[in-house]
Amino acid sequence: AQKVTQAQTEISVVEKEDVTLDCVYETRDTTYYLFWYKQPPSGELVFLIRRNSFDEQNEISGRYSWNFQKSTSSFNFTITASQVVDSAVYFCALSESYTGGFKTIFGAGTRLFVKA
Amino acid sequence: DSGVTQTPKHLITATGQRVTLRCSPRSGDLSVYWYQQSLDQGLQFLIQYYNGEERAKGNILERFSAQQFPDLHSELNLSSLELGDSALYFCASSVRDSPYEQYFGPGTRLTVT
């Protein structure tokens, strides 16, 4: 069955600390896609990254980096030198094919507090 | 600004009523997705349309229905509303029907009293 687990409900760090948000997924498909989204206090959902199941290369974008490991079914997200503006809820999501389309399920989210 | 628009921003209605939420995708996007975000259920995928055709259905109740029109805007109809339907309803769009990055609208907050 399709499932995304974000075991960390809330994380609190002090500015400039590095923080890693964990994401573990379950799927029976060999072709699937993984995403991270950010939901700041204003409420909108902001796309951060998309990875397909055949691309295990890690990615770095500025202070953000992602570690995709199929062997452990994990897609973890690290923020380096965190800033107050990083305070938000972060969602990991999994998309797989479903009746001709794609169904996306989201993890429960991790609320990150970055204190000045 | 993602380029996806949703109206109305807020909606307050009574149990048993019917409402329609509207979504206009980003220019050029053919796929529209609807999601419900509530405190107890989290973010749940409801339904996907691609170029007017239904492509995937998630946890959408039978009281809910959606469609995508020729101009690609989409409407989500919620009927016989219950208190538990109170939630934030997001629409997202993407270029293709495969799960490319989805751009989310600001959401419609529905309150059922």
Side-chain angles (χ1 to χ4, degrees):
Chain A
Q2 195 187 26
K3 190 177 175 183
V4 176
T5 302
Q6 294 181 256
Q8 304 148 311
T9 308
E10 284 186 6
I11 300 176
S12 185
V13 299
V14 176
E15 218 173 11
K16 296 185 184 154
E17 277 186 35
D18 298 349
V19 57
T20 295
L21 311 181
D22 298 332
C23 173
V24 174
Y25 61 93
E26 287 178 35
T27 178
R28 284 180 290 202
D29 277 11
T30 53
T31 301
Y32 54 89
Y33 301 82
L34 296 163
F35 299 83
W36 277 94
Y37 287 89
K38 174 182 179 179
Q39 189 173 37
S42 51
E44 76 274 20
L45 278 157
V46 178
F47 165 82
L48 295 177
I49 190 171
R50 165 186 178 264
R51 261 284 173 270
N52 72 50
S53 52
F54 300 109
D55 182 2
E56 279 194 78
Q57 274 194 2
N58 293 327
E59 176 147 342
I60 298 174
S61 175
R63 296 184 297 107
Y64 294 170
S65 62
W66 291 269
N67 183 285
F68 176 27
Q69 292 198 345
K70 280 176 81 169
S71 60
T72 54
S73 297
S74 65
F75 186 43
N76 297 337
F77 172 32
T78 298
I79 301 175
T80 303
S82 58
Q83 299 177 1
V84 172
V85 293
D86 296 328
S87 297
V89 181
Y90 291 87
F91 292 95
C92 179
L94 165 69
S95 284
E96 59 182 22
S97 60
Y98 182 78
T99 63
F102 282 85
K103 178 178 172 181
T104 299
I105 67 158
F106 286 77
T110 297
R111 186 177 295 276
L112 175 65
F113 295 98
V114 181
K115 295 179 281 192
Chain B
D1 185 350
S2 67
V4 178
T5 60
Q6 288 187 249
T7 56
K9 201 163 183 173
H10 301 279
L11 200 46
I12 301 174
T13 190
T15 54
Q17 295 298 305
R18 173 190 167 95
V19 298
T20 297
L21 313 184
R22 185 187 165 106
C23 167
S24 292
R26 290 189 322 157
S27 176
D29 284 359
L30 299 179
S31 248
V32 169
Y33 307 77
W34 285 98
Y35 295 89
Q36 178 195 59
Q37 185 177 31
S38 61
L39 281 173
D40 53 343
Q41 299 284 338
L43 256 172
Q44 295 222 66
F45 167 71
L46 295 179
I47 197 163
Q48 178 206 355
Y49 279 84
Y50 176 75
N51 206 18
E53 288 185 12
E54 181 185 304
R55 280 299 172 99
K57 234 173 179 175
N59 301 323
I60 188 165
L61 299 171
E62 282 191 16
R63 300 183 285 107
F64 297 0
S65 64
Q67 54 184 324
Q68 186 179 29
F69 295 86
D71 67 353
L72 301 177
H73 91 272
S74 178
E75 292 180 359
L76 179 67
N77 300 296
L78 316 175
S79 60
S80 303
L81 285 167
E82 301 175 358
L83 295 178
D85 298 327
S86 296
L88 192 51
Y89 290 85
F90 284 107
C91 162
S93 73
S94 69
V95 171
R96 307 179 188 179
D97 64 345
S98 60
Y100 259 59
E101 53 263 37
Q102 295 176 27
Y103 292 89
F104 282 76
T108 293
R109 182 165 295 284
L110 173 67
T111 303
V112 183
T113 61

